[in-house]
Amino acid sequence: MSTSNHGPKLCGDALAVKDDLCVTGSLLPDKSIELWSLKEGKRITVLPYECPRLRGEYVLVVKFCGGTSHVIAGSASCHDAQIISVSQEKVVSRIDGFRRSVSALAVSDSGKVAVAGGAPYISFVETMTTPFFLET
């Protein structure tokens, strides 16, 4: 069975599915991260991405982490990755220090380690604490 809905403007790797939830990101200046119910086929909420208004959000990549309790997203314009609490609908942690766009993210199965990539760095974060950087 196939279903199609009018939905978000997707960008690259800005689509993640876990259980009956889907999170999407798009190259929009604001309201670029959306949480969707696959079961109901509609948007649940828009999640925040904290970025100065002049730069815009422009989300390139999103992933679920910690089951579906958190989302991690990377931006083309803010040069960071942010961990967002789904229930609180707020940014709870940030990975800073990238010189360019964050275009790749990975999260361990346990959700305790997140990796963000943006040339020329790869950043590893363990349990949402201070990141360390590897220059590539």
Side-chain angles (χ1 to χ4, degrees), residues 28-95:
L28 293 173
D30 62 353
K31 301 179 183 172
S32 61
I33 302 173
E34 297 175 309
L35 186 67
W36 298 82
S37 167
L38 296 176
K39 191 176 186 179
E40 297 176 22
K42 56 183 166 183
R43 186 175 73 188
I44 298 169
T45 191
V46 174
L47 296 173
Y49 195 94
E50 295 175 356
C51 197
R53 198 85 175 130
L54 294 175
R55 285 190 177 170
E57 297 172 6
Y58 303 103
V59 171
L60 290 173
V61 58
V62 293
K63 303 281 186 208
F64 281 109
C65 58
T68 57
S69 66
H70 292 81
V71 168
I72 184 168
S75 168
S77 60
C78 296
H79 303 172
D80 67 3
Q82 297 180 18
I83 298 171
I84 304 153
S85 166
V86 172
S87 63
Q88 297 175 9
E89 295 185 14
K90 73 176 194 174
V91 175
V92 294
S93 186
R94 177 178 278 117
I95 307 168

Side-chain angles (χ1 to χ4, degrees), residues 72 81 83 93-96 98 104-108 112-118 121-136:
I72 184 168
I83 298 171
S93 186
R94 177 178 278 117
I95 307 168
D96 291 309
F98 294 97
L105 293 169
V107 180
S108 67
K112 292 185 178 182
V113 178
V115 181
Y121 295 103
I122 297 174
S123 177
F124 297 84
V125 179
E126 187 174 353
T127 61
M128 321 295 185
T129 60
T130 307
F132 61 91
F133 296 94
L134 294 178
E135 191 155 350
T136 56

